[in-house]
Amino acid sequence: KYTYLKIVRDPIKRCISSYRHAVVTKYAYQQMSETLDRDITPEMGFSFATFLHFLSLIDLRTANIHHRFQSHPLDNYPWHRFILINVNEVDLIETLSALDREAGLPVTFEADEVSRESSRDERRYANPKAPQESSSDSDIWKMPLNRTMMDKWPHESAFCGPEPLAIIKRLYRTD
C-alpha cells in the first residue's frame, strides 16, 4: 500500500507567475521568437496575451518546466492514498508537518522555522502593492511589459479578466 503525495500550484497563478518569470529572466525570448516567427527582445518585452498565444502553440506535455502540465499519468493510478497539496490554498510547511505527525515521523520543519516570505512570495505573481484592476475591463494583459517595468508591474487581477482566464483554463484543462 503506497501513498502518492503531489504538490501543485493553482494553474492560473502559476501561468501568471511563469509569464512574469519569462519577462524578467529572459529564458523564453529565443523560443518565443522562433515559435511566433518574430523578434521578441528584452527591450520591447511582450504581453501576457502574446505569452498565452505562445503557450497555445507549444506542447505543454514536454515544455519548459515553468509551462509544463502539472498532471502526470501516475495521477490516475489507484493509489491506497492520494494526497494533493495546492500551495496556493494551504501552507505547505504546516501541511507537510501535519503529515509527518500523522505518520508518527519526526517533523522535518516547524512552521515557525521557515520564513513565510520564502514559502509563498506573492511578488512572483504580480506587484501585491499595485492597485487592483477591474478584471472585467482591463486591457493591461494585452500591453507589452519588460523587466524595466518591474516597479510598476500590475496587480495579479490585471491578468485575470474573462478572456485570459478562459485561455488559461483551456490551456491547462488537465491541471
Side-chain angles (χ1 to χ4, degrees):
K1 295 183 178 184
Y2 292 97
T3 296
Y4 184 63
L5 173 67
K6 183 170 185 167
I7 300 170
V8 298
R9 292 174 64 193
D10 176 271
I12 294 166
K13 288 183 178 286
R14 183 171 174 256
C15 188
I16 294 167
S17 173
S18 69
Y19 166 60
R20 180 181 168 107
H21 188 67
V23 169
V24 173
T25 65
K26 305 182 271 187
Y27 75 88
Y29 282 87
Q30 182 177 347
Q31 184 185 11
M32 288 181 68
S33 293
E34 292 168 4
T35 302
L36 299 172
D37 198 28
R38 64 182 174 100
D39 281 341
I40 295 181
T41 66
E43 295 75 31
M44 65 188 256
F46 53 91
S47 69
F48 190 49
T50 299
F51 184 68
L52 293 177
H53 179 63
F54 161 70
L55 293 178
S56 74
L57 298 175
I58 64 173
D59 185 351
L60 295 174
R61 295 170 299 166
T62 59
N64 179 292
I65 192 72
H66 293 93
H67 319 301
R68 190 177 306 155
F69 290 136
Q70 297 177 97
S71 58
H72 189 277
L74 286 175
D75 296 348
N76 299 317
Y77 184 81
W79 298 98
H80 171 69
R81 184 173 179 203
F82 182 88
I83 301 170
L84 180 67
I85 301 173
N86 182 331
V87 297
N88 297 111
E89 294 176 359
V90 299
D91 183 283
L92 177 61
I93 301 303
E94 286 179 13
T95 304
L96 292 175
S97 296
L99 289 170
D100 283 344
R101 283 189 288 280
E102 178 186 312
L105 299 170
V107 174
T108 308
F109 295 105
E110 287 294 341
D112 59 348
E113 294 175 13
V114 180
S115 163
R116 292 292 175 244
E117 184 172 345
S118 67
S119 66
R120 186 56 23 222
D121 183 358
E122 290 298 323
R123 291 175 294 173
R124 282 186 241 176
Y125 311 124
N127 180 353
K129 296 178 183 154
Q132 287 198 355
E133 303 292 326
S134 167
S135 61
S136 61
D137 61 5
S138 175
D139 278 339
I140 291 175
W141 75 288
K142 295 178 182 176
M143 295 173 24
L145 299 174
N146 65 40
R147 85 180 283 162
T148 66
M149 301 171 165
M150 293 313 295
D151 291 341
K152 298 178 183 98
W153 198 269
H155 189 274
E156 173 185 333
S157 61
F159 305 105
C160 292
E163 193 173 352
L165 283 180
I167 296 167
I168 295 168
K169 286 177 182 177
R170 186 174 62 250
L171 286 170
Y172 291 101
R173 66 190 167 278
T174 62
D175 280 355

